[in-house]
Amino acid sequence: MAKQMKVAVYDAFGSADKLEIREIEVPELKEGEVLVKIKAAAVNPVDSAVREGYLKDFLPVEFPAIPGWDVAGVVEERGFSSRRFQKGDDVYAYARRPLVKYGTYAEYIVLPESYLASKPTSLSFEEAVVFRW
């Protein structure tokens, strides 16, 4: 059985009442990707703009869509050829992908290893998620 995660997700453009909590399968790791257990995610005004459809001509969205682009967490698994980080490493990232589908309002996220940076040890997960390098 595939690993499940809880997510905040929406199935159509609209107001915040379109968001619901649901369980879905964790996306499969591909070459060069890393599975991150999310410890903190930031909420930004752009998340609302995307959800409400204001940016649909610029940012493609595939429903159901999980919002969120800023994340801090812990590496849980690595895909083939992912070698920069080890299981258990604390990381953070700007997780915007070309397609809005799998965002940071979830228990896990799969990202290309190149999106990630080591979380500064002086910052908490909550601080790191809003830290701009």
Side-chain angles (χ1 to χ4, degrees):
M1 180 175 192
K3 186 176 200 164
Q4 297 286 305
M5 67 176 173
K6 287 185 182 176
V7 299
V9 65
Y10 57 99
D11 293 311
F13 293 121
S15 64
D17 65 351
K18 295 285 185 183
L19 283 169
E20 60 182 62
I21 303 301
R22 196 181 295 166
E23 274 203 17
I24 66 167
E25 284 187 12
V26 174
E28 183 179 325
L29 272 175
K30 296 184 178 109
E31 183 172 355
E33 293 183 330
V34 175
L35 175 67
V36 175
K37 169 94 172 126
I38 295 173
K39 298 291 188 176
V43 177
N44 293 300
V46 72
D47 299 325
S48 295
V50 172
R51 186 198 65 245
E52 291 174 11
Y54 296 126
L55 301 175
K56 65 183 173 192
D57 294 333
F58 307 102
L59 293 171
V61 176
E62 182 180 316
F63 299 113
I66 303 166
W69 291 344
D70 298 296
V71 66
V74 178
V75 173
E76 183 145 310
E77 291 181 42
R78 303 180 310 172
F80 180 77
S81 79
S82 297
R83 299 291 173 253
R84 283 184 51 218
F85 300 98
Q86 301 298 315
K87 185 176 179 175
D89 284 354
D90 294 344
V91 294
Y92 72 122
Y94 175 63
R96 181 179 175 266
R97 304 289 296 263
L99 174 68
V100 177
K101 171 81 176 152
Y102 293 108
T104 62
Y105 295 11
E107 291 182 288
Y108 297 93
I109 190 166
V110 172
L111 291 170
E113 179 179 58
S114 62
Y115 281 38
L116 300 169
S118 294
K119 182 185 79 60
T121 56
S122 62
L123 299 178
S124 68
F125 288 103
E126 294 81 9
E127 292 167 329
V129 80
V130 296
F131 180 72
R132 295 290 181 221
W133 353 334

